[in-house]
Amino acid sequence: GRRVRRAEAVAALPERQRALVVLRDIDGLTAEEACNVLGLSESNQRVLLHRARSRLRAELEQWMKR
């Protein structure tokens, strides 16, 4: 189902993007907290999160069209 597909899409992300998505979107950490955990600058965190969410959105949209 959808939950499995979402988990697969998250698992397929590059490591830092995956870690950031898990921390921000699943665990609910703030941007500042995620930056501290991963040792990222605020701007790098924004770029990585944007890329990860865009990739997830595209993956899931493709899956929904099938």
Side-chain angles (χ1 to χ4, degrees), residues 4-43:
V4 170
R5 185 63 205 128
R6 253 187 312 217
E8 290 172 351
V10 169
L13 290 171
E15 184 178 343
R16 289 190 340 157
Q17 290 180 13
R18 181 175 59 250
L20 193 52
V21 166
V22 169
L23 291 173
R24 293 291 315 276
D25 297 337
I26 297 172
D27 294 343
L29 269 63
T30 65
E32 183 178 357
E33 291 168 332
C35 286
N36 290 337
V37 169
L38 298 175
L40 299 172
S41 67
E42 184 75 29
S43 59

Side-chain angles (χ1 to χ4, degrees), residues 41-57:
S41 67
E42 184 75 29
S43 59
N44 194 8
Q45 182 265 162
R46 279 194 305 271
V47 169
L48 288 171
L49 190 58
H50 174 75
R51 288 179 182 166
R53 287 174 175 167
S54 294
R55 188 169 173 172
L56 288 173
R57 188 177 307 110

